[in-house]
Amino acid sequence: MSRSRSESPQEQRPAGDETEAQAGAPTGEGPAAAAGGRRLALDVHGRLRAMILNGELPPGSVLLQAEMARKLGVSRTPMREAFRLLQEEGLIDARPDQRARVRSVDPEDLDAVYGARIMLETLAVSMTAKSFTAEDIERMSDALKRMRGLTVDDQPEEWHAAHHEFHSIATQAVGPHLRRMIASLGEHSERYIRLAQLGAPASWSKAYAEHEALLDALRSSDPAEAARVVARHLARTALSVLADIAPEHEPAATRTALAIAGNGGH
């Protein structure tokens, strides 16, 4: 299990952590204790993950296990497991003899994620447009109203929840396996959405217009238009962030996906 080397020798010793370190060992509490420890680690992981994705812990931030454990009011055992999970997801770097850090934005990762999102979500909205109901329209309209009524700077979790719901309804017609893939890519994109919002705040009105256009296409049962709108909407976010953080990077995956799914690569 990976461990941040930024901790002092005193912190690295098991003194004061003996009970925690032995949490996985057989005790009188048995599997129930292990299950409770796992749930706590997952909860800590979720909280840290949200802090990274919403920008509270920006790229390059140093993460100290002991300090974060104190901040979140937990022991270091679930924090170590949370760090391991974050590293597996590629959200932090925690190499031996180095401090753990929030990973910087990788242009290749951004390009790959959005290329995949464009291809999968255009497929999904095309399928959804064929079976969209009045109830779906109402739910999607409500999510969009909530997005408009929230301030992402002050209420990031609520805004992203409404945004996630909006796109989930728009792609709901696909099977569970594909839904999970789309949801995972969408969550991975949250930090990029945040960067796009910070880098080009004037694009808010255009983003909302694109959301309205997607809702209109679904309301009209127009698969081709729904695919075109969502492809350009996703590509605009990716290209905006890349132009800001890595203007020299050629977004081949995003542009190729846009050309295929959005019927145009401009």
Side-chain angles (χ1 to χ4, degrees):
M1 187 176 297
S2 56
R3 175 199 294 267
S4 170
R5 298 296 183 175
S6 61
E7 301 160 4
S8 67
Q10 290 81 4
E11 288 175 317
Q12 291 182 6
R13 287 201 300 267
D17 246 2
E18 292 92 342
T19 302
E20 297 170 9
Q22 295 170 4
T27 68
E29 297 179 21
R38 177 63 175 173
R39 284 194 297 271
L40 179 58
L42 291 174
D43 178 65
V44 173
H45 162 258
R47 292 162 70 185
L48 285 175
R49 190 175 189 275
M51 292 167 72
I52 292 171
L53 294 176
N54 69 24
E56 185 176 343
L57 293 172
S61 298
V62 174
L63 300 178
L64 305 179
Q65 287 187 17
E67 179 182 319
M68 294 307 300
R70 284 192 296 271
K71 182 174 182 178
L72 297 183
V74 298
S75 70
R76 283 177 50 209
T77 297
M79 188 60 64
R80 284 194 294 268
E81 175 66 7
F83 269 45
R84 184 186 69 79
L85 294 171
L86 291 170
Q87 187 172 16
E88 287 182 355
E89 289 182 302
L91 290 175
I92 69 171
D93 286 319
R95 299 171 186 172
D97 302 318
Q98 292 184 359
R99 292 182 174 184
R101 292 179 180 272
V102 177
R103 286 191 63 183
S104 298
V105 176
D106 182 350
E108 291 187 4
D109 177 71
L110 188 157
D111 185 32
V113 166
Y114 272 88
R117 279 196 71 184
I118 290 169
M119 296 304 297
L120 293 180
E121 291 197 32
T122 51
L123 167 64
V125 298
S126 296
M127 295 172 64
T128 302
K130 299 174 183 177
S131 57
F132 217 56
T133 67
E135 181 182 350
D136 294 329
I137 293 170
E138 184 176 352
R139 290 167 54 222
M140 203 165 165
S141 298
D142 179 67
L144 186 55
K145 287 177 184 176
R146 280 186 282 124
M147 287 166 60
R148 286 186 177 276
L150 293 167
T151 303
V152 73
D153 287 332
D154 298 328
Q155 301 162 293
E157 291 186 9
E158 293 85 351
W159 188 92
H160 280 291
H163 184 253
H164 174 73
E165 182 179 351
F166 180 90
H167 280 275
S168 294
I169 298 168
T171 58
Q172 66 185 5
V174 298
H177 181 63
L178 188 51
R179 274 203 307 273
R180 285 193 295 270
M181 293 173 64
I182 291 172
S184 177
L185 289 168
E187 290 177 1
H188 195 84
S189 300
E190 285 185 16
R191 67 189 313 205
Y192 301 137
I193 294 171
R194 179 62 176 154
L195 287 173
Q197 293 165 344
L198 292 172
S203 67
W204 276 94
S205 59
K206 187 164 188 177
Y208 283 123
E210 289 167 350
H211 285 106
E212 290 280 9
L214 176 57
L215 177 57
D216 288 342
L218 292 169
R219 183 185 288 114
S220 302
S221 301
D222 189 339
E225 178 64 6
R228 187 190 70 81
V229 170
V230 81
R232 295 191 176 185
H233 171 61
L234 294 172
R236 188 177 60 78
T237 298
L239 296 177
S240 173
V241 176
L242 284 171
D244 190 39
I245 66 166
E248 74 287 352
H249 183 80
E250 173 55 35
T254 298
R255 291 196 183 280
T256 302
L258 179 61
I260 295 170
N263 193 29
H266 303 293

